[in-house]
Amino acid sequence: YAALSFVLNGVKTAMTDLKDQSSFNSVSAVNDSPAYSVTDGPGAAAGSHQIEVLQVAKAQRRVSDGLASPSVPLNGGAAMTLNLTVAGAAKPAISLAAGKDTPQDIVNAINAANVGVSAQLINTGDNTNGTPYQIVLKGATGAANTFSLTTSYGTGSGSPGLNFSANTSNQEPADAKMVVDGITVTRSSNSIKDVVPGLTFDLKTTTTSPSYLNLTRDTTAIKDKFNAVVTAYNDAMSMLGVVSDPKSTVETYGATLVG
């Protein structure tokens, strides 16, 4: 009985797996452009789409002037305050206590504030002027996610200070823009899920000409499940034959249910 229960449960499991309709609706996405990748999910339908990537989303980035080291005081050791405005909204002031006015302290304080702007201290390796370090501030992607930073030095010297002069390392925020079957869509992120049902586009770079995305029915999943049903059924029939055959010599199970 235990053996029969086991093989019949196998049939039940294999049949239950057929209830998942996604196996019948699965598609395989193939595109001819490295400018984007596609992930298919429930709701994706077989078909063909023309895709253009006009612009990828970018985050605003500001790069500070050079700094001598991660531990050099920027305000003579005095307390200072950073004020950030993100997406048009002023955020709570970030206060740095006396003795916490170094580049590394500033980076740590901005990251700990969690206001939508991240900071990183980078060693550029260019020590020509004795200031190889720079603080890089980065916001969220999308044209609306602009930010600005002002510094209040209080009673400190403000020297050498934290400065973000205009330079080529700065980057302005931008939205992602793509054309799907002739319709232009704009999003703040490079991961776009709501344009073609069941598909997620991850934009990487722009295209120079229209590319084509083909979605074909993928029968692999449903074939595997039908094969599982066949295997489970055959296993069950084999076991039924063993336990009901009076001439069976199978150890433990053979002829056990003949009566």
Side-chain angles (χ1 to χ4, degrees):
Y1 282 123
L4 286 178
S5 176
F6 178 80
V7 292
L8 290 175
N9 274 325
V11 175
K12 179 182 178 181
T13 299
M15 294 295 289
T16 300
D17 285 346
L18 288 178
K19 290 182 177 181
D20 184 2
Q21 295 184 15
S22 64
S23 298
F24 295 88
N25 300 324
S26 179
V27 298
S28 177
V30 178
N31 75 79
D32 60 2
S33 173
Y36 61 92
S37 61
V38 181
T39 304
D40 60 88
S48 174
H49 303 278
Q50 182 175 295
I51 309 295
E52 292 181 80
V53 181
L54 304 181
Q55 183 171 286
V56 294
K58 294 180 180 180
Q60 181 179 354
R61 183 178 62 194
R62 288 291 177 266
V63 182
S64 75
D65 293 350
L67 303 164
S69 79
S71 58
V72 61
L74 302 184
N75 194 33
M80 58 188 291
T81 303
L82 305 176
N83 297 288
L84 275 165
T85 298
V86 182
K91 300 299 180 179
I94 301 173
S95 299
L96 290 90
K100 293 291 184 180
D101 59 331
T102 69
Q104 190 62 64
D105 290 327
I106 290 172
V107 166
N108 294 342
I110 292 175
N111 289 333
N114 193 27
V115 294
V117 175
S118 62
Q120 183 180 7
L121 185 63
I122 294 178
N123 183 350
T124 65
D126 182 2
N127 200 30
T128 303
N129 299 316
T131 54
Y133 290 89
Q134 289 181 294
I135 293 176
V136 180
L137 302 181
K138 185 178 180 181
T141 59
N145 293 313
T146 59
F147 68 84
S148 61
L149 180 145
T150 58
T151 305
S152 175
Y153 296 106
T155 59
S157 63
S159 178
L162 177 62
N163 302 297
F164 291 85
S165 303
N167 60 64
T168 55
S169 296
N170 291 331
Q171 176 176 278
E172 298 304 320
D175 287 331
K177 185 180 294 186
M178 66 184 300
V179 181
V180 180
D181 297 329
I183 301 174
T184 302
V185 296
T186 301
R187 298 290 185 271
S188 62
S189 170
N190 286 316
S191 181
I192 302 176
K193 302 180 179 181
D194 56 351
V195 177
V196 177
L199 297 186
T200 298
F201 292 89
D202 289 301
L203 310 187
K204 304 178 186 302
T205 187
T206 57
T207 55
T208 56
S209 60
S211 66
Y212 293 91
L213 170 66
N214 294 307
L215 303 172
T216 56
R217 185 69 62 200
D218 185 359
T219 60
T220 303
I222 195 61
K223 281 182 178 178
D224 289 344
K225 290 187 176 182
F226 275 124
N227 283 330
V229 170
V230 171
T231 299
Y233 176 84
N234 288 337
D235 287 345
M237 292 304 296
S238 177
M239 181 57 71
L240 283 167
V242 167
V243 298
S244 63
D245 181 3
K247 297 181 180 180
S248 175
T249 57
V250 175
E251 187 177 355
T252 304
Y253 306 116
T256 51
L257 296 184
V258 169

